[in-house]
């Protein structure tokens, strides 16, 4: 009886894993954003002189499309220009006016990722 239960658990895990892999390769998963290839986010230049910089540690980014989606969402904030270092799991945000940490957090979460810290 124990063997049957263990076999069922392994089978369920396998099905879940295959299902996630298929979604990933179809571009339907949370990672990679779908589509035929990564869409490069426009490089944003601040209109006024930079007054500060914040570093956002982000959890969950794995690939170039993940990076581009974070850049795109952060750059939608007025007075913010972002760059993302994928290997360090962080975004460096320059700003030309005061920017609220909560606005930065919401932008990253809208892109589908978790903010670990903002410094």
């Amino acid at each position: 009886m124990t063997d049957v239960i263990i076999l069922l658990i392994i089978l369920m895990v396998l099905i879940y894993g295959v299902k996630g892999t298929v979604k990933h390769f179809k571009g339907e998963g949370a990672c990679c954003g779908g589509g035929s290839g990564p869409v490069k986010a426009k490089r944003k230049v601040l209109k006024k002189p930079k007054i500060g910089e914040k570093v956002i540690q982000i959890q969950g980014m794995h690939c170039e499309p993940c990076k581009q989606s974070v850049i795109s969402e952060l750059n939608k904030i007025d007075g913010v220009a972002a760059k993302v270092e994928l290997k360090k799991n962080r975004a460096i945000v320059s700003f030309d006016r005061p920017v609220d940490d909560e606005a930065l957090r919401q932008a990253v979460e809208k892109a589908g990722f978790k903010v670990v810290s903002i410094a």
Side-chain angles (χ1 to χ4, degrees), residues 5-25:
I5 293 172
I6 292 172
L7 187 61
L8 285 174
I9 291 171
I10 291 172
L11 186 61
M12 287 173 44
V13 169
L14 245 167
I15 290 170
Y16 181 75
V18 169
K19 184 178 172 184
T21 301
V22 169
K23 281 181 81 174
H24 175 77
F25 285 113

Side-chain angles (χ1 to χ4, degrees), residues 71-96:
I71 291 171
S72 179
E73 287 301 323
L74 286 169
N75 282 348
K76 288 179 183 177
I77 301 171
D78 286 336
V80 168
K83 72 176 185 176
V84 171
E85 296 175 343
L86 192 57
K87 289 183 181 180
K88 294 184 179 182
N89 293 312
R90 70 181 184 181
I92 300 171
V93 177
S94 301
F95 48 93
D96 63 9

Side-chain angles (χ1 to χ4, degrees), residues 13-65:
V13 169
L14 245 167
I15 290 170
Y16 181 75
V18 169
K19 184 178 172 184
T21 301
V22 169
K23 281 181 81 174
H24 175 77
F25 285 113
K26 284 185 173 179
E28 297 170 356
C31 181
C32 302
S36 59
V39 175
K40 187 107 170 145
K42 288 184 181 179
R43 186 169 189 271
K44 186 174 175 184
V45 178
L46 297 174
K47 295 176 183 168
K48 299 177 184 176
K50 176 175 132 179
I51 64 167
E53 189 173 272
K54 294 185 180 189
V55 176
I56 307 170
Q57 284 299 135
I58 301 170
Q59 183 179 9
M61 295 187 301
H62 304 304
C63 58
E64 189 65 25

